[in-house]
Structures are given as structure tokens and as C-alpha cells.
Amino acid sequence: AADTFTGKLVGYKSVMGIVEALKAQMPNLREEWAKMAYRWAICSRDKEISLISWQIFSFLNQDILKFLDFLHQVGTKKLNCCY
């Protein structure tokens, strides 16, 4: 059933291994795959596909996610020096 998650997730090393192996033939694979994974994550009606797509998207965007986490941490701290 589409509502039942089977627990089959992909691993970071597997995703990044594919990107690394195909880098010479497909230099934009990481960016293109991230875009597709994002679209599937938000548009899929299948929960499992959506979850795996979010996971792949996050693997492919580690640098962006770290930066956004940093901005969130800075934004939640009170900066008394500015007032």
C-alpha cells in the first residue's frame, strides 16, 4: 500500500558515490538531481517516494543546509550589541 513505509532508505555514501562516479560525464548531476528530488518530494502522492526524495535532496545540498542552520542559529540569538 502507498501509505505503508517499507523502511527502504538510501544512504549518503550511495548517493554521493553515484554523483562522484558520473561527475566526468555529467558535471551538473548533483544540481539537476537535487532539483528533481525536490520536485518529487513536494509533488509525489506516494509518502515513501516523498520521504526518499527529501532525503536525497538533503544529501545533495549539505552545504546549503549547513549554512541555513547557521543562519537560523544566529537569527535565534539575541544580539545585544546592535541595540
Side-chain angles (χ1 to χ4, degrees), residues 19-33:
V19 170
E20 189 61 32
L22 297 175
K23 186 169 35 174
Q25 294 84 11
M26 302 175 74
N28 295 328
L29 176 62
R30 186 175 185 162
E31 293 81 12
E32 294 301 318
W33 194 2

Side-chain angles (χ1 to χ4, degrees), residues 69-79:
D69 184 51
F70 168 76
L71 288 178
H72 174 73
Q73 290 177 17
V74 169
T76 57
K77 293 180 182 178
K78 293 185 179 181
L79 301 176

Side-chain angles (χ1 to χ4, degrees), residues 13-59:
K13 288 183 180 181
S14 298
V15 171
M16 298 314 292
I18 292 169
V19 170
E20 189 61 32
L22 297 175
K23 186 169 35 174
Q25 294 84 11
M26 302 175 74
N28 295 328
L29 176 62
R30 186 175 185 162
E31 293 81 12
E32 294 301 318
W33 194 2
K35 288 177 192 175
M36 184 179 294
Y38 178 78
R39 281 193 300 263
W40 286 13
I42 62 172
C43 295
S44 178
R45 293 182 184 201
D46 184 297
K47 292 178 184 178
E48 189 169 351
I49 290 173
S50 183
L51 176 63
I52 291 170
S53 296
W54 276 121
Q55 187 180 30
I56 290 172
F57 176 78
S58 70
F59 290 159

